[in-house]
Amino acid sequence: MVRTFIAGLLLAATAAVAQDYPAKPIVIVVPAAAGGPTDTLTRVLAASMSEQLKQQMLIENMGGAGGTIAINKAAKARPDGYTLLLYHVGMATSPALYRKLPYDTLNDFDYIGQVADIPMTLIAKKTTPAANFAEFLTYAKANKDKVTYANAGIGSASFLCGLLFMSAIQTEFTMVPYKGTGPAMNDLVGGQVDFMCDQTANTVPQIKSGNVKVYAATTKSRLASLPDVPTLDELGLKDFELVVWNGLYAPKGIPKPVQQKLVAALQGAVQAPAFRTRLAELGAEPVPPAKATPESLGAMLKSEVEKWTPIIRKSGVHAD
């Protein structure tokens, strides 16, 4: 009887917490520097989810170490629903890139759901002497010892895209890592590095403003936001495709009613007209509500870990 009484009290307390949730601002940890594509997506999502939850959502940027510092912080946070994590495919690649992680990628988080899919584009500094992809390929291969490729650090989406691109054209370039694609883009626009492959949330504004040259998209079909830009697949790199998926996570052990509130808020957010319009401007696509679920994100993460692990191990690249 005592155990039943205690269990009843705990259940009542959990229900009360969930009913009041969220009673204060929610922090979303972002494993990237401010100004990059993941940061941009998070801020758009935070604005939309804030309307759903009637509570402020704050962004905490933590770049470096392939996102693992921020991921570990989120994993170790109090599981009360007030600390969340938003990250992309890098969540699935870190187990292969790092021989030792301070967290368990698959088991240290509760899943909220997928958020959006973001294509990538191959871009270069605007002074690059190449009018199209064929000319760029010829130029880059002829100058491979001095051409530099910018990325947001080992494990980032831009790093992975560069790895696949160099493998596809069988040419290696000097890779220049940054603590986020925001700083990398700044140096590309400034002409300090030669080219990069990055998410449209970061590249479309720079492309449309004429600050960089664009040579290709990484999708199988052309992008609605950049209809005149050909895909790498149609340019000869057959089956080259890399679309960056993003997911929202919470530390393992958040109360189930709190998780359900967050899932409902996420599903409302990805369907909100303002969210969809803003993502379309960035060349990104929100997931349908059926993918904005814990089950869908869990399945995606597991399959992506299985996909990327042999690719990365074959490359011999390690971040530690």
Side-chain angles (χ1 to χ4, degrees):
M1 181 176 291
V2 174
R3 289 182 179 177
T4 302
F5 177 70
I6 292 175
L9 287 178
L10 290 174
L11 185 62
T14 300
V17 168
Q19 186 174 0
D20 293 338
Y21 178 86
K24 62 181 180 180
I26 300 167
V27 175
I28 305 181
V29 178
V30 182
T38 307
D39 173 69
T40 299
L41 171 63
T42 306
R43 292 178 188 278
V44 178
L45 177 67
S48 191
M49 284 188 69
S50 290
E51 291 187 8
Q52 302 291 323
L53 293 167
K54 308 302 180 187
Q55 182 58 264
Q56 186 179 13
M57 301 191 85
L58 307 176
I59 311 300
E60 183 176 355
N61 298 95
M62 295 185 68
T68 58
I69 296 174
I71 297 171
N72 185 50
K73 178 174 182 176
K76 303 297 193 292
R78 186 176 178 180
D80 55 9
Y82 289 101
T83 300
L84 305 176
L85 170 74
L86 192 145
Y87 204 32
H88 54 48
V89 61
M91 193 78 171
T93 58
S94 57
L97 285 166
Y98 290 82
R99 284 163 286 202
K100 187 175 181 180
L101 287 173
Y103 57 87
D104 186 318
T105 303
L106 293 173
N107 297 311
D108 281 357
F109 294 92
D110 280 330
Y111 307 123
I112 308 302
Q114 294 184 62
V115 178
D117 295 325
I118 308 181
M120 304 185 82
T121 53
L122 185 71
I123 58 175
K125 62 183 182 183
K126 61 182 179 182
T127 56
T128 304
N132 53 48
F133 178 72
E135 291 182 9
F136 172 75
L137 201 56
T138 299
Y139 166 78
K141 286 189 172 185
N143 296 276
K144 63 180 182 180
D145 293 332
K146 62 180 182 179
V147 167
T148 52
Y149 176 84
N151 65 74
I154 292 179
S156 65
S158 53
F159 170 83
L160 296 171
C161 188
L163 201 65
L164 290 179
F165 180 67
M166 289 189 292
S167 176
I169 66 172
Q170 299 183 342
T171 305
E172 292 189 4
F173 304 101
T174 299
M175 298 186 81
V176 183
Y178 289 82
K179 290 183 178 180
T181 38
M185 179 63 79
N186 288 339
D187 273 8
L188 184 70
V189 171
Q192 281 77 46
V193 286
D194 293 302
F195 79 112
M196 69 185 296
C197 177
D198 198 18
Q199 300 172 65
T200 52
N202 198 34
T203 64
V204 167
Q206 300 294 347
I207 292 168
K208 291 190 173 181
S209 63
N211 291 331
V212 297
K213 284 188 174 181
V214 57
Y215 292 117
T218 66
T219 47
K220 284 293 184 70
S221 302
R222 293 197 180 196
L223 306 177
S225 57
L226 299 168
D228 297 328
V229 177
T231 69
L232 286 171
D233 180 73
E234 68 180 275
L235 289 169
L237 300 188
K238 294 301 179 184
D239 298 321
F240 191 108
E241 183 178 21
L242 182 56
V243 176
V244 180
W245 57 272
N246 294 265
L248 188 64
Y249 306 81
K252 190 75 173 181
I254 62 170
K256 186 63 68 173
V258 170
Q259 182 185 30
Q260 290 170 345
K261 274 195 173 184
L262 287 168
V263 172
L266 174 61
Q267 292 182 338
V270 299
Q271 297 178 83
F275 181 79
R276 301 184 69 84
T277 298
R278 180 63 180 130
L279 259 62
E281 293 171 353
L282 297 170
E285 185 177 346
V287 298
K291 285 190 174 183
T293 65
E295 296 77 17
S296 180
L297 178 56
M300 171 63 81
L301 180 60
K302 186 175 184 295
S303 68
E304 286 287 284
V305 168
E306 293 172 351
K307 167 188 171 182
W308 282 102
T309 295
I311 294 174
I312 293 171
R313 285 180 177 169
K314 185 178 180 180
S315 74
V317 175
H318 289 288
D320 57 0

